[in-house]
Amino acid sequence: MKITLKDGSVKEYQEAKSVYEIALDISEGLARVACAGEVNGEVVDLRNIVDSDCELNILTANDEKGLAALRHTTSHVLAEAVKRLYPNAKLAIGPSIDTGFYYDFEAEPFSREDLDKLEAEMKRIIKEGHKLERFTLPREEAIKFMEEKGEPYKVELIRDLPKDAEISFYDQGEFVDLCAGPHLMSTKNIKAFKLISSSGAYWRGKSENAMLQRIYGTAFNKKEELAAYLEHLEDIKKRDHNKLGREMELFTTVDVIGQGLPLLMPKGVRMLQTLQRWIEDEEEKRGYMRTKTPLMAKSDLYKISGHWDHYKEGMFVLGDEQKDKEVFALRPMTCPFQYYVYKASQKSYRDLPCRYGETSTLFRNEDSGEMHGLTRVRQFTISEGHLIVRPDQMVEEFKGCLALAKYCLETLGLEEDVTYHLSKWDSENKEKYIGEPEVWEETQQHIRDILNDLNIKFTEDVGEAAFYGPKVDINAKNVYGKEDTMITIQWDALLAEQFDMYYIDENGDKKRPYIIHRTSMGCYERTLAWLIEKYAGLFPTWLCPEQVRVLPISEKYSDYANKINEELKKNGVYSEVDNRSEKIGYKIREARLAKVPYMLVVGQKEEEEGLVSVRSRYLGDEGQKSLPTFIDDICREIRTKEIRKIEVES
């Protein structure tokens, strides 16, 4: 048989060989660092037997898929350590993930001290150097095997496998786990790992299931790589909006108010006001008309839209349909309300497109396990809009919505951090959607063509569409790697029919319009979280809740400092005065900790000559300027929404 390697060279063998044996034949060094193999594009275990012509790539920890095998093996070592120290713990699942691995257990919560003990035990297991041996069992024997070990979650996993599935296990000495692999040849090949944290996690991600304990960890081939990653994690902790946003007094939460109901504090509100005014002004420039609609509606409205059938569990319902004459629900979206704004007067083809925009407060009954800081909450505000258009206008208006979204991202400095997704319906589960298959396929192709025409790179996600139409989701990851949708633009060729929306065409006939559901910047709270993490609190000046702090070097110059502050405020600059009886060095440090972009130090010389001494996070000591010059400079920076490079803080 002929084995074609990654570099194009060919190895010939008379008999079948394992991937590991082929790696050993290439070089002992390669065999030592091999983690898995890739045969004709499929990742396989090193123990996999190759018995015919193929293309083979030997994967090491330098390859993403090879590193995944190393991390998966480390998760098995963690599971063995847990069973050694906590014999009554039950095993669930332990996959590799982008940042490392995790393993879920039915057990008491794990403390940091517990994780340290588990790390020590894992090091002992690795030192013992057990070989990992793969074996398979028939379905009933596999079930009996795990039942005898008292592992109910493994039994459930086996029962859920297809009837023709091969059920494989890995034995590493005294520990055996149900697993498809691939794995390293021995535990001694694990060189560098760390247990990061633990948290609760529902079995199979469903709140109706048991709450398990999840341990997160990571592993690398080299200690230097692990050290660099741990340093990265420390930076992440500094950027975590849930921590930094509270420290900066942008928002807080209170148990008696409720989970997912954050309190925006004055500084946070100021930032959201800045964003909201900018968005509303920008939308007006682009032809949007503003609406203001109720925060709740009768269930009748949601029954017309289809939300009552498809989304009721995600809504806050007020009343009981069995007892009450009228049942209301807090709105999870604004679209049906704006449809009735459209329907309030008859429209002709000349009136379209109608672009409606609203800064909408919405309510969604998120699962308690999903909520986090400002990124996923139960009440939030969104830059929502709906465009009612003629079919022949749909493509250009959809492009206009994408252009607005890209403008917002670029202005905020976030464009490089996002990915674009065509969220499609799942044709295998048609009952989740309204409309005919040909409508879905046609609209999805329109969006695909638009993205290609605009040279926007995108991926296609099956099953992520709303129940009434496909969409473009613009996603970003938080500092921990979790991806959320930031902006959505949706093609809807169906709901106009449900709401009997029409326009009069040039022939005097009634025609159904199309609808674009879109956000320009998305959810304000989620965007604030994103900005906190992106800039580690060092926001562009135009977004800062405090843009200038005036620092008199002693109480004698407080009056001059107050006059400067008044002049700044007259020009729309957010400024404060630090009149405390503290040394100027202390005041400067405090202003830096508060992440204020500009400090104006004033003393005798500045007062006599009408100057200010400027210190900034951008250039440090910028020297003395006249107050009018400084005001001109900062107002221009704010007006143009400039994102300056930070050179003196990190």
Side-chain angles (χ1 to χ4, degrees):
M1 61 180 178
K2 294 182 178 181
I3 309 299
T4 304
L5 302 178
K6 185 178 180 180
D7 62 1
S9 61
V10 176
K11 287 275 188 180
E12 294 190 24
Y13 300 100
Q14 297 300 317
E15 69 285 336
K17 286 185 177 290
S18 69
V19 173
Y20 178 76
E21 289 172 329
I22 295 172
L24 189 62
D25 184 53
I26 296 170
S27 80
E28 290 187 11
L30 179 61
R32 278 196 300 271
V33 297
C35 297
E38 192 171 23
V39 177
N40 294 331
E42 179 184 355
V43 179
V44 299
D45 199 273
L46 289 170
R47 302 154 193 78
N48 188 76
I49 300 300
V50 178
D51 57 8
S52 61
D53 294 354
C54 68
E55 294 181 357
L56 173 64
N57 181 18
I58 306 297
L59 300 171
T60 72
N62 293 326
D63 304 297
E64 181 180 334
K65 295 171 183 176
L67 183 59
L70 183 152
R71 289 170 167 173
H72 193 182
T73 305
T74 313
S75 79
H76 277 225
V77 173
L78 166 61
E80 180 175 358
V82 168
K83 293 296 283 187
R84 282 188 180 185
L85 299 184
Y86 308 97
N88 293 326
K90 305 299 181 186
L91 303 174
I93 58 173
S96 65
I97 55 178
D98 289 346
T99 57
F101 61 89
Y102 69 79
Y103 210 114
D104 290 346
F105 305 92
E106 181 187 289
E108 293 298 315
F110 295 99
S111 66
R112 182 65 248 181
E113 291 74 18
D114 294 329
L115 299 188
D116 293 340
K117 292 177 185 176
L118 287 167
E119 279 187 9
E121 191 63 35
M122 289 173 70
K123 288 177 181 176
R124 280 190 282 273
I125 293 169
I126 291 168
K127 190 175 181 180
E128 290 167 9
H130 296 292
K131 289 185 177 180
L132 280 84
E133 303 288 350
R134 184 179 186 273
F135 66 93
T136 62
L137 289 175
R139 173 182 292 273
E140 293 307 315
E141 287 185 34
I143 291 172
K144 183 179 179 182
F145 182 66
M146 279 301 170
E147 284 178 337
E148 289 175 350
K149 286 185 171 292
E151 300 293 355
Y153 299 102
K154 299 295 184 181
V155 171
E156 182 178 330
L157 290 172
I158 296 170
R159 292 189 188 278
D160 287 348
L161 289 172
K163 289 185 178 180
D164 59 349
E166 182 180 66
I167 301 171
S168 60
F169 298 81
Y170 280 82
D171 185 334
Q172 56 193 57
E174 65 188 60
F175 178 75
V176 178
D177 203 354
L178 171 74
C179 189
H183 282 290
L184 305 184
M185 298 295 286
S186 168
T187 60
K188 70 180 180 182
N189 292 50
I190 299 170
K191 305 299 182 184
F193 75 93
K194 181 71 179 176
L195 298 184
I196 305 298
S197 63
S198 64
S199 65
Y202 291 116
W203 169 234
R204 293 190 157 181
K206 296 181 179 179
S207 58
E208 63 268 25
N209 290 343
M211 174 64 78
L212 306 179
Q213 300 304 313
R214 176 171 295 177
I215 297 178
Y216 286 98
T218 193
F220 291 88
N221 191 47
K222 297 178 181 178
K223 292 181 179 178
E224 296 81 7
E225 294 171 339
L226 175 62
Y229 178 74
L230 295 178
E231 185 177 337
H232 169 65
L233 286 186
E234 288 302 311
D235 179 62
I236 283 175
K237 290 178 184 177
K238 294 175 186 176
R239 292 176 179 270
D240 183 348
H241 86 274
N242 214 9
K243 176 176 181 291
L244 186 54
R246 296 169 197 271
E247 291 173 354
M248 295 182 68
E249 298 182 347
L250 300 177
F251 76 96
T252 188
T253 53
V254 181
D255 287 343
V256 296
I257 291 175
Q259 191 179 13
L261 299 170
L263 301 176
L264 274 296
M265 300 173 76
K267 291 180 180 179
V269 171
R270 178 171 279 177
M271 291 188 69
L272 293 191
Q273 282 181 327
T274 299
L275 290 169
Q276 181 178 332
R277 290 166 181 165
W278 164 56
I279 290 295
E280 290 180 352
D281 288 348
E282 185 59 35
E283 288 183 341
E284 187 169 347
K285 292 176 189 175
R286 297 178 187 235
Y288 282 80
M289 301 174 286
R290 304 216 67 73
T291 65
K292 186 174 177 60
T293 56
L295 299 181
M296 67 177 76
K298 294 194 297 184
S299 59
D300 305 53
L301 179 71
Y302 305 114
K303 289 174 182 175
I304 295 171
S305 69
H307 287 94
W308 202 252
D309 292 330
H310 293 272
Y311 196 74
K312 183 180 176 183
E313 70 282 355
M315 298 166 66
F316 288 102
V317 177
L318 310 176
D320 186 331
E321 287 186 286
Q322 304 302 318
K323 300 177 182 178
D324 301 319
K325 185 176 180 181
E326 291 185 328
V327 174
F328 288 78
L330 298 178
R331 65 180 184 185
M333 78 302 294
T334 310
C335 36
F337 298 86
Q338 290 190 331
Y339 299 162
Y340 281 98
V341 173
Y342 175 85
K343 283 166 62 70
S345 62
Q346 183 168 285
K347 305 292 191 300
S348 84
Y349 70 98
R350 293 188 182 93
D351 297 317
L352 303 187
C354 280
R355 305 184 188 101
Y356 295 120
E358 182 165 337
T359 303
S360 308
T361 298
L362 305 179
F363 305 86
R364 295 183 184 174
N365 191 9
E366 298 283 2
D367 184 88
S368 60
E370 290 293 318
M371 287 181 288
H372 174 70
L374 296 178
T375 57
R376 195 169 289 274
V377 292
R378 286 176 167 156
Q379 175 183 311
F380 55 95
T381 306
I382 195 167
S383 58
E384 193 164 22
H386 296 87
L387 292 79
I388 293 86
V389 307
R390 302 192 310 264
D392 64 287
Q393 297 170 325
M394 190 66 165
V395 169
E396 285 308 308
E397 290 296 320
F398 202 94
K399 287 181 178 180
C401 292
L402 277 166
L404 174 57
K406 287 175 73 68
Y407 164 76
C408 292
L409 292 169
E410 289 165 359
T411 303
L412 293 170
L414 302 171
E415 170 66 12
E416 294 181 357
D417 302 329
V418 302
T419 54
Y420 290 77
H421 301 256
L422 167 50
S423 295
K424 306 190 298 185
W425 79 320
D426 181 357
S427 60
E428 300 298 317
N429 293 284
K430 296 184 179 68
E431 69 281 356
K432 293 170 55 179
Y433 309 92
I434 62 174
E436 297 302 317
E438 56 268 22
V439 175
W440 281 90
E441 295 303 328
E442 180 184 348
T443 53
Q444 287 172 177
Q445 186 58 47
H446 279 307
I447 296 175
R448 191 178 290 115
D449 292 342
I450 289 170
L451 292 170
N452 286 327
D453 188 45
L454 295 174
N455 293 316
I456 296 174
K457 293 181 179 179
F458 66 97
T459 58
E460 300 192 9
D461 300 335
V462 174
E464 294 300 315
F467 68 86
Y468 50 87
K471 55 184 176 171
V472 172
D473 283 327
I474 303 176
N475 296 355
K477 293 181 179 179
N478 68 11
V479 290
Y480 294 103
K482 185 180 184 302
E483 188 170 71
D484 285 301
T485 297
M486 311 308 294
I487 296 173
T488 292
I489 303 167
Q490 184 167 335
W491 185 300
D492 176 7
L494 298 170
L495 286 183
E497 178 80 26
Q498 309 232 151
F499 281 88
D500 191 27
M501 298 166 67
Y502 66 88
Y503 65 93
I504 305 300
D505 71 5
E506 58 269 36
N507 299 316
D509 298 325
K510 288 184 177 182
K511 291 293 178 68
R512 296 293 182 203
Y514 283 178
I515 302 168
I516 300 174
H517 308 243
R518 47 101 278 182
T519 55
S520 50
M521 188 194 64
C523 169
Y524 283 92
E525 289 84 356
R526 186 174 288 180
T527 299
L528 178 56
W530 191 8
L531 290 166
I532 293 169
E533 296 186 350
K534 166 74 174 183
Y535 293 105
L538 298 169
F539 308 111
T541 301
W542 74 278
L543 281 173
C544 287
E546 183 182 357
Q547 294 160 336
V548 178
R549 188 172 293 184
V550 187
L551 309 176
I553 62 174
S554 73
E555 293 180 7
K556 291 189 295 183
Y557 308 106
S558 290
D559 288 344
Y560 181 55
N562 290 331
K563 288 179 182 178
I564 290 171
N565 190 45
E566 289 174 11
E567 196 63 28
L568 288 165
K569 288 181 179 294
K570 283 180 186 178
N571 284 274
V573 178
Y574 298 139
S575 62
E576 303 291 340
V577 182
D578 187 346
N579 276 321
R580 295 177 298 169
S581 300
E582 300 285 356
K583 293 182 178 180
I584 192 64
Y586 179 81
K587 290 183 180 182
I588 290 172
R589 286 193 298 275
E590 288 285 290
R592 285 170 62 99
L593 288 172
K595 306 187 187 301
V596 181
Y598 289 98
M599 292 160 271
L600 302 183
V601 180
V602 295
Q604 181 179 350
K605 183 178 180 182
E606 285 80 11
E607 183 173 25
E608 289 174 351
E609 300 181 16
L611 302 172
V612 291
S613 291
V614 182
R615 296 182 64 89
S616 76
R617 69 160 75 122
Y618 307 109
L619 299 175
D621 187 349
E622 295 191 14
Q624 292 182 326
K625 294 182 181 181
S626 70
L627 182 58
T629 298
F630 175 76
I631 288 175
D632 284 346
D633 289 345
I634 192 171
C635 286
R636 182 172 57 253
E637 183 181 337
I638 293 168
R639 184 177 63 255
T640 61
K641 298 176 177 58
E642 181 183 357
I643 300 176
R644 294 186 65 184
K645 183 179 179 182
I646 295 173
E647 298 186 4
V648 298
E649 289 199 44
S650 60

